[in-house]
Amino acid sequence: MQAWYLNENPYPFVPAEVLAAADSVRGSLPNKHCDPKIAADLFEEALDEYLLCDDIGINVVSNEHHSGINCLFGASPLILGILARQTKNVRILSLGTLITVRHDPVRVAEEFATADVICRGRLEIGFVKSGGSEMASGNMSPVGNIERFWEAIDLILKTLSHQDGPFSWEGKHYTHRHVNIWPRPWQQPHPPLWAATGDPETSAELGRRGMVNVLVFRGPEETKRAWTAYRKAREEARLPAPGPDRFGYAAFVYTGDTDEEGMRVGGKLLWFLNTGLKSAPQYSRFLPGQTAPRLAPALYRSTPPPGAALRPAAALANLTAEQAIARGLMFAGNPDTVHRQILEFQEKAGTFEHLVLASRSGFMTHEEANKGLKLFAKEVLPRFRS
């Protein structure tokens, strides 16, 4: 098993009365409520946690979100460049630059190639489909989002792997007359590829492409359904069966000295669900083209119907730590308990090699995050690797 640390660097220090009155904390909350001094301290702590991971053998994840308190990493390539230079040992996963709200995928490919050279081949590239508020902040239409997603990936891959001088791209959504990036990436033909998704259709396409499929807070049932689609697509295409290295899962993870400490401190991570997911309807439900027509009715329900891949934020709010663990969204407790919970999840969902540790959020302190990471690296991770 490979462990990957994700800290989205949220900003929880907004008065409760302001949050209660806001229609969205992921799109329209005025940035006058963000104190740059506090933000600078949070950036410093997050980057120091990544450097700790470099020392203890936990890989690191760079990501981005926009216009909200859930994530201060609004420019993932900038964070990626810092990690490429400051870390020396672990692999770096960009999960990732929101390619469907970037107008030029070639520039994204340049950023990836530059980071891969700086870190001397430790980069992994992760693609994510953009959420509703990102469409607004990126000034992009949600109509055609899925088509743009795949075309952007195809253009990025050709840009990274092409070595014979300029080429032109005349696609449905992107046109680029002269593509010839310098430097080319360290890893040939390009760094390993991931994508974060939970719907079976996208997982099937990832299977045909051989990309790592990572599920984020999906629980064992949805995860198993997506990975089954991945395997089936490869079988139907007569491709080799995927190994555990093609699958990853992201969950809240906190390891304490005792079950009580693990649950108490780990419970702070649920701020992400209870506060950081709040989004106005115009961002989460009413954007045209955001959802396939057959799935759209589920958006208007507070609880999705059985089998629906869509999960309104209301369905995840106000969970306790015990409930989050029961639903496979969190692994928390002492080292023995965390190890057992992960094994039980694998028995339900399937074996996977990559575990993304969402191990700091909300009001968890820097010291608490460091302790949880150290205990996981020392007491939990070796059990899987042995």
Side-chain angles (χ1 to χ4, degrees), residues 24-29 65-71 133-134 136-137:
S24 171
V25 301
R26 298 179 64 132
S28 59
L29 186 68
H65 288 289
H66 304 276
S67 301
I69 66 174
N70 56 304
C71 180
S133 61
E134 266 87 29
S137 65

Side-chain angles (χ1 to χ4, degrees), residues 1-2 339 343 376-386:
M1 176 172 284
Q2 301 291 320
H339 178 249
L343 289 177
F376 185 90
K378 181 179 179 181
E379 303 291 345
V380 181
L381 190 57
R383 303 188 195 190
F384 289 99
R385 292 180 172 172
S386 63

Side-chain angles (χ1 to χ4, degrees), residues 43-186:
F43 273 105
E44 184 172 335
E45 290 178 358
L47 292 171
D48 283 349
E49 287 160 18
Y50 285 134
L51 292 180
L52 170 65
C53 289
D54 196 44
D55 292 335
I56 62 179
I58 295 178
N59 302 309
V60 296
V61 181
S62 162
N63 80 323
E64 71 178 60
H65 288 289
H66 304 276
S67 301
I69 66 174
N70 56 304
C71 180
L72 292 179
F73 291 151
S76 181
L78 180 60
I79 304 302
L80 186 63
I82 295 172
L83 295 176
R85 180 62 180 90
Q86 288 199 298
T87 62
K88 302 298 180 184
N89 306 303
V90 296
R91 297 195 66 80
I92 305 165
L93 170 60
S94 175
L95 191 70
T97 298
L98 303 178
I99 55 174
T100 59
V101 300
R102 294 284 294 273
H103 295 268
D104 185 4
V106 173
R107 176 56 186 261
V108 177
E110 286 183 303
E111 293 163 353
F112 285 145
T114 301
D116 194 43
V117 169
I118 291 173
C119 72
R120 299 178 183 269
R122 291 184 286 116
L123 177 67
E124 313 237 347
I125 297 173
F127 299 107
V128 293
K129 286 183 275 186
S130 306
S133 61
E134 266 87 29
M135 290 295 169
S137 65
N139 196 34
M140 293 291 283
S141 170
V143 177
N145 183 49
I146 303 302
E147 288 184 346
R148 290 202 308 273
F149 181 72
W150 294 118
E151 185 180 336
I153 290 175
D154 290 338
L155 177 51
I156 288 170
L157 294 188
K158 184 170 183 179
T159 300
L160 290 172
S161 57
H162 188 82
Q163 301 178 19
D164 298 322
F167 71 89
S168 63
W169 184 275
E170 302 291 340
K172 180 177 180 179
H173 298 280
Y174 303 104
T175 299
H176 208 298
R177 301 295 174 84
H178 186 98
V179 182
N180 185 41
I181 65 168
W182 282 67
R184 62 188 174 99
W186 181 285

Side-chain angles (χ1 to χ4, degrees), residues 6 61 93-96 98 125-130 149-150 153 193-199 202-203 206 211-218 226-227 248 250 356:
L6 169 64
V61 181
L93 170 60
S94 175
L95 191 70
L98 303 178
I125 297 173
F127 299 107
V128 293
K129 286 183 275 186
S130 306
F149 181 72
W150 294 118
I153 290 175
L193 304 177
W194 299 47
T197 185
D199 65 280
T202 308
S203 291
L206 297 181
M211 298 166 63
V212 177
N213 186 191
V214 57
L215 278 289
V216 182
F217 307 131
R218 290 287 180 167
W227 291 348
V356 179

Side-chain angles (χ1 to χ4, degrees), residues 331-347:
F331 309 128
N334 68 40
D336 293 334
T337 299
V338 171
H339 178 249
R340 173 178 53 78
Q341 290 169 352
I342 297 171
L343 289 177
E344 290 174 350
F345 184 93
Q346 288 188 324
E347 290 175 359

Side-chain angles (χ1 to χ4, degrees), residues 301-373:
R301 303 186 178 102
S302 59
T303 302
L310 298 163
R311 301 168 306 148
L316 298 177
N318 302 317
L319 292 179
T320 66
E322 291 82 3
Q323 291 170 329
I325 290 171
R327 295 177 61 168
L329 309 180
M330 174 185 282
F331 309 128
N334 68 40
D336 293 334
T337 299
V338 171
H339 178 249
R340 173 178 53 78
Q341 290 169 352
I342 297 171
L343 289 177
E344 290 174 350
F345 184 93
Q346 288 188 324
E347 290 175 359
K348 297 176 182 177
T351 303
F352 57 91
E353 181 172 314
H354 306 285
L355 178 62
V356 179
L357 314 173
S359 293
R360 185 175 179 188
S361 190
F363 292 97
M364 182 180 289
T365 67
H366 179 53
E367 292 72 23
E368 288 170 336
N370 285 344
K371 180 177 181 178
L373 289 168

